[in-house]
Amino acid sequence: MAKKPAVVVPLDGSEIALKALGAAQAVAKIMDAILHVVHVAEGKISEDRLLERLKIDRLEVGTCLLKQIAGNPVEAVLGFATDIRAKMIILSTHGWTYNRAHLLGATGTGILQGAAIPVLAVRPDMKKMPHPDWQPKKMLCPINGSLSAIAGMKEIFELAGSLGTSVDVLNVAVHGEKRPTGIGTMATSEYQDYPHRDIQAWAEEFIRRCCNSKPPSVETKMFQRAGDPVKAILAFSEEHKADLIALTWQGQLEPGRAKTVKGLLKVTELPVLVTKT
Amino acid sequence: MPERSNEESTTKREVSFPLIKKHLFKIIAFDWDGTAVKNRSVDASVVTETIEGLLKFDVLMVVVTGTNFQNIDRQFSRHIFGPHKQSLFVCANRGSEVFGFDERFRPVLLFRREATEDENRLLDKVAEATKEAIEHQSSATIEIVYDRLNRRKIDLIPEWQNPQKSEIGKLESAVQDRLRKAGFKKGLKGAFGLAVDDAKKLGLTDARITSDVKHIEVGLTDKSDSIRWITTNLTKKRNIPFTDILILGDEFGPMAGFEGSDYRMYTAEEPGISYISVGKEPNGVPPGVNHVGGGPDYFVRLMGEQLGVHRKFSLTEEPSFLLVEKGFNPLREREIESLFTVSNGYLGTRGSLEEERYQSDPATLIAGVYCKRNQDLGEEFAVAPEWLFTEVYVDDKPLSLTDGKILEHKITLDMRKGLVHRRWRHQDESGRVTLLTFLRFASLADPHAACLKINIVPENYTGRIYVRTGLRFTNKSRRSFESLRMDARDHPNLVWVAGKAAGTGVTVVEAQATTVPEGFVAPEHLAKNEKSAVFDEWTWRVNMGQRLEIHKFVALFTSRETARPEDKARRHARHLADKGFDVMLLEHAQEWDERWANAYLVIDSDTRTQRWLNFAIYHLISAGNPSDEKVSISARSLTGTVYEGHIFWDTEIYILPFFSLTFPDVARAALMYRYHTLPEARRKAQKMGFKGALYAWESASTGEEMTPEVIVTSNGKILPVGSGKLEHHISAAVARGVWLYWTTSRDTHFMLEAGAEIIFETARFWASRVTKRNGRYHIEHVEGPDEYHEDVNDDFYTNVMAAWNLERASELDAHLLQTHPGKLVALRDKIGLDDSEPEQWRNISANIYADMTRQDGVVEQFEGYFKLEDIDVRDYEPRTAPLDVLLGHERAQTSQVVKQGDVVMALYLLEDRFREEIIRNSFEYYDRRTGHGSSLSPSIYGLVAARLGLENAAWKYFEKTAQIDLADNMGNAAGGVHIAALGGLWQQVVLGFGGVRVADKGVYIHPKLPHELKRLDFSLLWRGIRLHFKVIRGEKIDIIARGKGGLKVGIFGKSLQPIIPGKHYVALWKHNAWSKFK
């Protein structure tokens, strides 16, 4: 009998961190996965005490497994996720303190950057906070056509398949940026001689490049917008009623990097799923 | 054959072994001393270079010599470096040793006959016994040379060292004299006989006794051992048939009563081997040996001829004609397929992998064959069954680029010869390495033929290899065709497929015949029918290193050209197989040779830039079909399906100028397509309430409008497509195509039978299209080439082109009245042309509203254009998308941003009607406002910039245009190459940098080469006369005309001058101007 996949949600006992639990339960349900609730603290305590500390009702969380680990929170969570070969980490961007001026808490920053597996992040003040019965139907995936972004699409499509969503791929045309370079890059074509033919052809070629070995197994549509990427993505997500936003990235949050990831985490009302290329 | 002296000039002689010029030998074995070189001390650099040339074509070259390896290496082999050296072998010491070379070019001993101690002792004894016997019988002193591997040399005339081969006669006399004077009356023959007897007596079995007159040699081996090594290790092991072996020597025939030193290279046991003697052979040669004489000089000549044959059958060596893709990048696969298409104007086959992968998008497209999958969809290109389909299995496992390891993968497009060559070295999970090469072409000599040669070598294993190669209905072709039929027969071997294009009923039949050249490994063959494919399956049990080869011939016919395409295709496939691959390839390459001779464009610049031009010309030539008047060249030609094979204005404005000036038959045929689609053009005009002919914006087989009504934009909006309803300038474009062809060809027959009708009917359309207001004629609610602005009034381009169209029609009517009044009357009757119409055209033409030039010399693109939001496109650099995407559809419409040349295009096409100041000012104005959202745009801007002397802009646009398909960051070419952009590139170079203008009375030229081009050579055809131009920047223009008749050429801005064909004319650059031609 095939082993069930695993997903992980780290909780530190704060109400803020707890906001991610609903999304985690929903994802576990959709993927038929075992949900591991991970708490990093020194000194072992009983399960009941742990539930109390984490503010979790056992009946509500059902068959999730509780895990208490000592050590550095980031290393502990990532290490555990690796050990159990988790498919995803779901977390709240912040823990004990939430200051909107800070994009992520220290633990959130560390896990997001360090994770080799997809991370689904929810901002604690999101209006559309996923609950345990959340069933996303549409995943919005912005992609700039660079090689690294294209390389990450395979995983995005697999995730969409696991979550049961369709995928809207969105390319945002930007003024002020150079086209991505590199052999095989798939930026927007500079030429649309006959748009009624070229746009469809470009979209098909784009999707084909994203799926190296077989067609995507989920319904996929290709769109284009122009302007500031974050604003364009947000506007599109509203217009097309996306349920979550998925991004490929290189996992670095230093100044000047990951502008779109940062921008979205700051303002979107949707969960953001990031995968590292 | 009479004796010939080596000093005789070999250049004057005809090659007297014709096969050397026709047949590809794979193994060439040759004697060294006296055959390849005069002697072992001369400079061998010339023969070395020639032999090295053959090595580079994988010909196995084998030196067969009596001397030791070091002598050969010193004079010859050590001067060769490179991986090709591994194809060189030296059989030395008269059959006792064989040397090859490793990957670091070092000699490797492959074989040595090791004599036993007894054998060595016996050799000594036999030599000494013979010496003693002679010395006992005479006073002659005889010496023995001991230090030879496996042989001893009995020297009969020690005082004469190193005699030349040319002195053989004198040498023989000297030896005979010496022996007889010393008392050995039996002479040379007697000495030889003694050695033979002594060998027998002393028990030296299978002694090899030879003589070169100076010596009697007693040995264990001779040159027949070398040949045996070749046939065992090279021929059989590599599966090379005897017919592919050539052996050369200079002494096959008897010398001084003894067998010649090369006699043992000749064997009747291996029939099929070719033998040539370049020696004097005073006593003739054995039957089976071709005596050509001429010595080493002629040997070099023969090798040169053979090298020429290999060059013909191999890829071009000039790198600017080669497009190479190394490795395998699945992301780019579909782009590569477009760029590497092979086509002949009748059919085009994308450069797909033979073993289709998920990443592949294979397609064979046939000009004029469309399908219509449902009534709501227009006609689209029918994708024919894939004929490349080939799968190779090693012990039942298919070889795949994505399984195992790619040791080497390289695809080369030879644009000179229209070939695609693929080389793939694959290592499977078991470590087995297989080398596969494929060579394909769509024959330019026989449009219904396509060929593929497959070579396979198991490099390091022995096993079972089978190849399935056949015809397959791909997913796309199953959607294009219905009523699919397939058949596969063993005897006679033929497989074929047929289908009817959905909705149009055109039947397409492909038939295949495969052959396997003669070899030592006999394959099994089955013809099979499986799922959507029929194929030939060839199976071998092979040993390591044995070369396998399959020749595949595909014949393709449709019901468009024959009522019985099945019969024709099947018969033709067999005919192609009978002809053979080599003949097919030679004929195809010859056609390409001729096309390039007429269409070359040579610059003195870097290889990359020259390659850009060659790429453009390659695809243009590939697209041309001079034979079918019911097809034209679609916007992606036969390289891809993204535009469904539809014909746009691209053809007449961008593509046909190239053909009108190089291959007018193609232009004629494409214009006849427009003639045959006149009925639909008339219907469209009528449907829209106009008269005459309004050509479809996008047309297919019938000329019916194929432009869809709406588009779903990339941001999800549904917008109407205006082009089909509003871009009426296409009628003027077609008229222009006719006029340009007429100007450059003076094909009166075409004009009378077709061209005039097109021009009259398009003029009629314009006459009905205009609206008269205040004494002027306006054209309202149109779309010009700039598609960012739909539904405008008085688009400048449309208006001036309409005026031009009307003027041409009126002028043509007057001309025909003078020259062919009867034909004119008949045409007028046919189309109901009223007498008053030509006058009306003249009047409208003169009064069409085109006064749109501002005081500053800038032309207004359409009514109200200057009132729109002014946007400088440079403010939007850099950007990652076309401007209309960045700005949005609505804002683009309400701004001055222009998609592509509109005013600028008009000022190019009708240059002679505008002052330079207007052209310059308008160009500079629109240059800052043009987003170039169409691939059609940069070339025209580049052309106009070149003519204006705006060097930087011209070069910028040249580079931009040249890389539309060749740059690799847009996926641009995945759906097919942008053939119109390539035609635009050619125009930019010839008509822009070259400054060529064609006029009614002659050809003008005014080169303005940018500093990146020091030189420009090209050829044009003008009314049957071939003009060759050579331009040196800032220095001179050379022209020479070939053909019959008169013509006039002049510097643009000066008067035309008569040019006599055959004479050479020069114009010089002096005082910043071109002089007249002298």
Side-chain angles (χ1 to χ4, degrees):
Chain A
M1 195 168 150
K3 204 173 157 185
K4 277 196 173 188
V7 298
V8 168
V9 58
L11 299 178
D12 60 5
S14 67
E15 291 279 353
I16 294 168
L18 192 60
K19 299 276 185 186
L21 184 60
Q25 286 175 288
V27 168
K29 192 166 151 189
I30 296 166
M31 290 172 65
D32 194 25
I34 298 173
L35 174 59
H36 296 260
V37 176
V38 175
H39 178 66
V40 181
E42 301 301 321
K44 208 116 170 82
I45 56 175
S46 68
E47 184 171 297
D48 286 342
R49 282 272 292 140
L50 186 55
L51 284 168
E52 196 186 319
R53 181 185 285 186
L54 298 181
K55 302 173 182 53
I56 297 174
D57 186 320
R58 184 27 111 185
L59 280 175
E60 277 182 36
V61 297
T63 54
C64 81
L65 297 179
L66 294 173
K67 179 75 180 176
Q68 187 185 348
I69 313 173
N72 172 281
V74 172
E75 286 168 13
V77 169
L78 290 178
F80 176 72
T82 304
D83 289 342
I84 65 166
R85 296 197 185 156
K87 293 290 183 196
M88 194 185 295
I89 298 172
I90 301 103
L91 52 68
S92 170
T93 54
H94 294 76
W96 284 101
T97 54
Y98 174 46
N99 181 348
R100 191 133 183 198
H102 299 135
L103 185 70
L104 293 151
T107 306
T109 302
I111 292 175
L112 209 70
Q113 288 192 133
I117 59 175
V119 176
L120 182 69
V122 298
R123 207 181 58 253
D125 64 349
M126 274 167 41
K127 293 193 181 90
K128 299 176 186 176
M129 190 64 66
H131 51 78
D133 293 323
W134 179 56
Q135 282 191 327
K137 291 286 172 233
K138 187 180 283 189
M139 179 188 287
L140 167 58
C141 181
I143 178 168
N144 65 1
S146 65
L147 286 177
S148 55
I150 290 173
M153 286 305 293
K154 189 178 169 205
E155 189 166 21
I156 296 281
F157 284 120
E158 282 170 6
L159 285 166
S162 303
L163 293 171
T165 69
S166 65
V167 177
D168 282 352
V169 178
L170 176 67
N171 179 256
V172 181
V174 182
H175 163 219
E177 269 184 29
K178 283 189 178 172
R179 313 172 65 80
T181 55
I183 297 174
T185 302
M186 187 65 198
T188 315
S189 177
E190 200 167 334
Y191 305 109
Q192 289 178 1
D193 295 14
Y194 302 111
H196 53 281
R197 306 255 174 223
D198 282 306
I199 290 171
Q200 176 71 23
W202 168 76
E204 284 174 7
E205 175 63 18
F206 201 114
I207 298 298
R208 208 104 186 235
R209 289 198 181 200
C210 293
C211 307
N212 219 353
S213 57
K214 55 181 182 176
S217 54
V218 296
E219 185 191 329
T220 305
K221 288 182 188 167
M222 182 85 209
F223 295 89
Q224 191 171 46
R225 284 278 193 272
D228 173 79
V230 172
K231 287 183 184 164
I233 293 165
L234 288 175
F236 185 92
S237 68
E238 283 224 22
E239 198 183 315
H240 287 257
K241 298 185 180 14
D243 295 306
L244 74 157
I245 300 173
L247 294 158
T248 62
W249 76 319
Q250 297 195 340
Q252 287 166 21
L253 288 167
E254 290 87 27
R257 317 261 332 214
K259 282 191 280 189
T260 306
V261 169
K262 287 183 204 169
L264 286 172
L265 282 173
K266 206 168 177 132
V267 297
T268 183
E269 297 299 333
L270 299 176
V272 176
L273 177 63
V274 291
T275 77
K276 207 181 264 181
T277 56
Chain B
M1 193 166 178
E3 220 175 305
R4 290 182 193 271
S5 133
N6 280 354
E7 285 76 38
E8 183 181 340
S9 166
T10 54
T11 54
K12 291 182 188 160
R13 296 174 56 188
E14 288 295 315
V15 168
S16 44
F17 182 66
L19 205 55
I20 200 90
K21 279 179 153 181
K22 286 194 288 199
H23 187 80
L24 279 171
F25 289 103
K26 297 201 174 79
I27 300 177
I28 299 177
F30 53 97
D31 168 60
W32 184 251
D33 191 356
T35 302
V37 292
K38 218 168 171 174
N39 57 57
R40 293 206 297 263
S41 53
V42 298
D43 178 353
S45 50
V46 172
V47 70
T48 301
E49 191 183 323
T50 311
I51 290 170
E52 190 168 12
L54 286 162
L55 291 171
K56 287 178 180 172
F57 284 109
D58 292 331
V59 180
L60 303 179
M61 302 298 288
V62 188
V63 179
V64 179
T65 181
T67 188
N68 58 56
F69 170 77
Q70 285 70 26
N71 282 339
I72 303 299
D73 196 46
R74 186 180 54 246
Q75 191 179 19
F76 165 59
S77 50
R78 72 165 55 168
H79 304 287
I80 295 177
F81 299 97
H84 50 280
K85 194 169 179 179
Q86 292 176 77
S87 296
L88 176 64
F89 300 89
V90 179
C91 295
N93 276 314
R94 211 174 292 285
S96 282
E97 285 179 320
V98 180
F99 287 84
F101 297 87
D102 65 16
E103 65 281 351
R104 287 163 70 178
F105 331 135
R106 297 172 305 191
V108 175
L109 178 66
L110 299 176
F111 167 78
R112 175 177 283 152
R113 167 72 160 91
E114 296 285 357
T116 62
E117 278 185 35
D118 282 346
E119 283 172 327
N120 269 320
R121 265 200 299 275
L122 274 174
L123 285 171
D124 290 345
K125 274 190 180 173
V126 170
E128 284 154 10
T130 306
K131 168 183 152 86
E132 276 168 30
I134 296 170
E135 286 176 343
H136 181 70
Q137 294 175 38
S138 70
S139 59
T141 49
I142 304 296
E143 287 182 9
I144 294 175
V145 180
Y146 287 93
D147 64 342
R148 294 290 184 270
L149 182 65
N150 300 335
R151 67 187 192 278
R152 305 292 178 267
K153 294 174 79 149
I154 304 162
D155 194 344
L156 301 174
I157 185 164
E159 62 272 21
W160 190 343
Q161 292 296 312
N162 302 318
Q164 299 295 308
K165 285 228 175 177
S166 55
E167 296 173 302
I168 191 96
K170 284 186 194 160
L171 178 65
E172 187 190 353
S173 304
V175 169
Q176 296 286 42
D177 272 350
R178 184 179 189 272
L179 290 174
R180 284 176 183 145
K181 277 181 183 164
F184 190 76
K185 301 289 180 211
K186 290 174 193 172
L188 191 45
K189 267 216 155 138
F192 190 92
L194 279 177
V196 172
D197 290 342
D198 288 333
K200 274 192 197 140
K201 266 190 252 176
L202 292 168
L204 183 64
T205 49
D206 196 23
R208 312 294 176 86
I209 301 179
T210 57
S211 176
D212 61 3
V213 176
K214 176 172 161 62
H215 305 94
I216 309 281
E217 272 198 27
V218 181
L220 301 177
T221 59
D222 61 33
K223 284 187 175 181
S224 69
D225 294 286
S226 302
I227 300 303
R228 201 165 302 115
W229 185 89
I230 292 171
T231 56
T232 305
N233 293 283
L234 298 184
T235 315
K236 288 174 184 159
K237 275 201 177 161
R238 298 184 190 211
N239 197 29
I240 295 173
F242 290 138
T243 46
D244 288 345
I245 304 176
L246 173 63
I247 296 179
L248 300 104
D250 69 316
E251 286 181 352
F252 284 96
M255 304 292 293
F258 304 101
E259 64 178 42
S261 62
D262 295 326
Y263 177 72
R264 297 287 169 111
M265 291 207 292
Y266 173 75
T267 169
E269 287 166 16
E270 277 91 8
I273 296 178
S274 297
Y275 297 88
I276 294 179
S277 175
V278 297
K280 287 189 176 184
E281 305 283 10
N283 301 302
V285 290
V289 175
N290 298 277
H291 181 212
V292 301
D297 288 347
Y298 204 63
F299 172 83
V300 172
R301 169 121 183 251
L302 289 170
M303 293 300 100
E305 293 284 352
Q306 176 66 184
L307 186 55
V309 177
H310 280 275
R311 282 201 174 109
K312 275 192 204 166
F313 283 102
S314 301
L315 298 182
T316 304
E317 286 160 294
E318 166 54 44
S320 67
F321 280 105
L322 302 177
L323 194 64
V324 178
E325 187 66 22
K326 287 187 184 169
F328 174 61
N329 184 348
L331 292 179
R332 290 200 65 219
E333 187 56 20
R334 291 160 299 284
E335 241 177 5
I336 302 297
E337 288 177 337
S338 300
L339 306 183
F340 285 67
T341 295
V342 291
S343 170
N344 55 24
Y346 172 80
L347 70 93
T349 294
R350 284 167 61 83
S352 310
L353 303 173
E354 285 77 6
E355 72 296 351
E356 183 187 338
R357 308 300 318 152
Y358 165 70
Q359 300 85 357
S360 306
D361 189 16
T364 287
L365 305 169
I366 309 164
V369 177
Y370 298 91
C371 64
K372 198 166 179 178
R373 289 188 281 130
N374 70 55
Q375 287 314 304
D376 296 329
L377 295 174
E379 281 185 338
E380 49 192 66
F381 248 153
V383 177
E386 190 46 46
W387 64 267
L388 287 173
F389 163 60
T390 301
E391 290 171 340
V392 178
Y393 292 76
V394 172
D395 287 338
D396 295 320
K397 288 204 177 102
L399 298 186
S400 160
L401 283 170
T402 48
D403 299 323
K405 194 170 167 190
I406 302 173
L407 301 178
E408 186 185 340
H409 192 254
K410 182 166 118 169
I411 304 184
T412 305
L413 170 66
D414 183 336
M415 298 181 275
R416 189 78 170 77
K417 295 183 183 176
L419 304 172
V420 166
H421 180 266
R422 180 182 173 206
R423 181 181 163 92
W424 172 24
R425 278 184 78 227
H426 176 87
Q427 183 177 52
D428 67 12
E429 281 116 2
S430 314
R432 291 180 292 200
V433 177
T434 311
L435 170 65
L436 304 99
T437 60
F438 302 87
L439 182 70
R440 71 172 80 147
F441 58 94
S443 175
L444 203 59
D446 179 348
H448 297 276
C451 302
L452 175 68
K453 179 155 78 170
I454 305 161
N455 277 105
I456 303 167
V457 180
E459 288 191 359
N460 63 350
Y461 63 92
T462 290
R464 182 170 155 264
I465 291 179
Y466 68 91
V467 178
R468 294 182 164 182
T469 185
L471 310 166
R472 198 166 74 88
F473 280 100
T474 58
N475 289 338
K476 275 193 173 173
S477 55
R478 276 202 296 275
R479 288 199 291 272
S480 297
F481 287 88
E482 52 199 18
S483 309
L484 308 183
R485 286 173 292 137
M486 301 189 285
D487 195 27
R489 300 274 167 102
D490 282 317
H491 301 289
N493 166 229
L494 198 76
V495 302
W496 62 270
V497 295
K500 235 183 206 175
T504 61
V506 176
T507 299
V508 170
V509 182
E510 290 177 19
Q512 165 187 295
T514 57
T515 60
V516 165
E518 184 199 327
F520 293 96
V521 190
E524 289 166 15
H525 170 262
L526 282 173
K528 286 187 174 177
N529 189 331
E530 217 172 80
K531 290 183 202 170
S532 310
V534 287
F535 48 87
D536 286 310
E537 186 176 277
W538 293 92
T539 306
W540 292 265
R541 285 230 158 261
V542 280
N543 292 325
M544 186 169 82
Q546 283 186 316
R547 228 177 258 201
L548 311 175
E549 190 163 301
I550 300 173
H551 297 168
K552 173 169 172 164
F553 306 90
V554 176
L556 197 154
F557 280 85
T558 80
S559 55
R560 289 183 70 251
E561 61 264 5
T562 172
R564 301 179 65 88
E566 288 93 343
D567 287 349
K568 273 223 112 133
R570 290 195 289 249
R571 261 204 307 275
H572 200 58
R574 286 198 205 102
H575 165 70
L576 298 175
D578 289 340
K579 233 175 166 176
F581 192 89
D582 289 352
V583 170
M584 290 297 298
L585 175 54
L586 276 182
E587 288 177 354
H588 164 80
Q590 197 155 330
E591 273 299 318
W592 271 98
D593 235 1
E594 284 174 24
R595 303 293 170 100
W596 277 108
N598 293 334
Y600 64 87
L601 201 56
V602 177
I603 54 174
D604 184 0
S605 182
D606 55 280
T607 302
R608 186 185 69 148
T609 309
Q610 182 68 63
R611 187 180 293 121
W612 289 343
L613 294 178
N614 291 342
F615 178 79
I617 295 170
Y618 166 76
H619 276 287
L620 285 165
I621 292 174
S622 298
N625 185 339
S627 313
D628 191 340
E629 293 183 353
K630 299 215 175 148
V631 303
S632 183
I633 300 172
S634 66
R636 298 291 185 112
S637 61
L638 297 170
T639 65
T641 57
V642 72
Y643 290 165
E644 301 301 356
H646 292 172
I647 320 297
F648 297 75
W649 75 311
D650 304 26
T651 309
E652 282 75 22
I653 296 295
Y654 288 89
I655 301 170
L656 289 196
F658 166 78
F659 288 105
S660 292
L661 284 164
T662 59
F663 304 108
D665 287 351
V666 171
R668 184 189 201 280
L671 291 166
M672 286 304 294
Y673 162 82
R674 290 297 191 186
Y675 173 73
H676 290 299
T677 53
L678 260 176
E680 277 304 325
R682 289 182 178 114
R683 255 192 288 279
K684 180 177 174 181
Q686 195 180 41
K687 199 169 154 187
M688 295 188 78
F690 303 117
K691 292 182 181 163
L694 172 58
Y695 281 97
W697 181 243
E698 278 186 54
S699 64
S701 66
T702 61
E704 217 179 311
E705 184 60 71
M706 292 286 143
T707 312
E709 303 266 320
V710 296
I711 173 187
V712 179
T713 65
S714 55
N715 57 14
K717 286 190 180 171
I718 296 177
L719 290 175
V721 178
S723 303
K725 295 196 171 80
L726 299 172
E727 288 205 62
H728 295 171
H729 62 85
I730 185 169
S731 276
V734 174
R736 197 203 179 241
V738 169
W739 198 258
L740 181 63
Y741 171 69
W742 161 250
T743 303
T744 58
S745 71
R746 273 297 180 265
D747 182 351
T748 306
H749 183 258
F750 162 79
M751 191 51 108
L752 292 174
E753 299 305 312
E757 193 170 335
I758 292 173
I759 292 195
F760 288 167
E761 290 286 35
T762 49
R764 272 175 150 178
F765 163 72
W766 291 117
S768 69
R769 184 64 179 80
V770 295
T771 306
K772 194 169 181 182
R773 266 192 285 120
N774 302 322
R776 305 302 298 275
Y777 292 96
H778 300 264
I779 303 178
E780 292 163 351
H781 303 295
V782 283
E783 188 172 320
D786 165 33
E787 289 158 346
Y788 289 169
H789 299 93
E790 299 163 338
D791 198 352
V792 298
N793 295 333
D794 286 326
D795 170 67
F796 179 74
Y797 175 86
T798 306
N799 282 22
V800 296
M801 288 301 289
W804 175 89
N805 196 161
L806 288 156
E807 189 184 318
R808 293 285 75 67
S810 148
E811 189 182 286
L812 181 63
D813 181 77
H815 172 76
L816 292 178
L817 191 62
Q818 297 294 315
T819 58
H820 296 84
K823 289 278 187 185
L824 178 63
V825 166
L827 177 56
R828 280 187 176 189
D829 280 346
K830 180 187 175 192
I831 64 175
L833 188 66
D834 195 81
D835 280 348
S836 65
E837 289 186 69
E839 176 57 37
Q840 188 195 28
W841 300 338
R842 215 174 355 261
N843 177 46
I844 295 172
S845 170
N847 291 290
I848 274 191
Y849 180 68
D851 310 332
M852 296 155 84
T853 309
R854 279 193 323 208
Q855 280 205 333
D856 61 355
V858 177
V859 175
E860 187 173 37
Q861 182 172 304
F862 53 79
E863 182 188 64
Y865 173 84
F866 286 136
K867 291 182 185 147
L868 301 176
E869 179 195 359
D870 197 2
I871 287 182
D872 188 328
V873 301
R874 293 172 300 185
D875 294 339
Y876 285 83
E877 301 284 349
R879 61 176 187 269
T880 64
L883 260 183
D884 65 324
V885 173
L886 270 180
L887 296 174
H889 179 76
E890 287 78 20
R891 189 164 173 219
Q893 286 241 319
T894 56
S895 75
Q896 289 189 33
V897 161
V898 161
K899 180 180 181 182
Q900 65 190 62
D902 193 298
V903 168
V904 171
M905 174 65 98
L907 297 177
Y908 153 52
L909 293 177
L910 300 174
E911 179 193 43
D912 55 347
R913 291 163 189 233
F914 301 96
R915 298 192 319 272
E916 188 182 299
E917 178 206 345
I918 292 178
I919 298 175
R920 182 180 297 276
N921 292 353
S922 298
F923 173 84
E924 284 173 356
Y925 186 89
Y926 285 100
D927 190 32
R928 287 201 298 282
R929 291 155 180 86
T930 302
H932 301 292
S934 166
S935 71
L936 304 178
S937 192
S939 60
I940 300 306
Y941 278 71
L943 190 160
V944 174
R947 285 182 171 182
L948 290 171
L950 300 172
E951 207 177 289
N952 292 340
W955 189 253
K956 174 184 86 176
Y957 286 121
F958 170 77
E959 287 193 312
K960 203 174 161 73
T961 308
Q963 297 184 82
I964 286 171
D965 289 321
L966 293 174
D968 50 27
N969 64 348
M970 280 185 260
N972 227 8
V977 300
H978 292 74
I979 191 77
L982 298 178
L985 187 74
W986 182 89
Q987 288 187 62
Q988 185 185 348
V989 174
V990 175
L991 312 184
F993 294 138
V996 168
R997 282 91 162 162
V998 295
D1000 189 54
K1001 300 260 187 297
V1003 178
Y1004 291 97
I1005 184 169
H1006 196 295
K1008 287 184 181 175
L1009 302 193
H1011 68 268
E1012 289 87 352
L1013 300 183
K1014 294 185 210 49
R1015 169 182 147 217
L1016 176 63
D1017 295 356
F1018 59 96
S1019 165
L1020 300 176
L1021 190 69
W1022 172 262
R1023 298 181 190 176
I1025 299 175
R1026 176 74 47 195
L1027 281 162
H1028 296 278
F1029 294 89
K1030 277 188 204 258
V1031 179
I1032 310 268
R1033 181 173 188 270
E1035 227 179 270
K1036 61 175 176 164
I1037 309 167
D1038 270 287
I1039 51 171
I1040 186 159
R1042 304 234 183 258
K1044 290 196 178 124
L1047 77 151
K1048 289 186 176 175
V1049 178
I1051 298 296
F1052 185 66
K1054 297 186 155 90
S1055 54
L1056 289 169
Q1057 301 166 244
I1059 298 289
I1060 301 169
K1063 286 197 171 219
H1064 182 221
Y1065 294 82
V1066 178
L1068 297 173
W1069 180 254
K1070 267 184 189 169
H1071 312 301
N1072 282 333
W1074 290 108
S1075 70
K1076 292 189 116 186
F1077 283 100
K1078 286 178 189 157

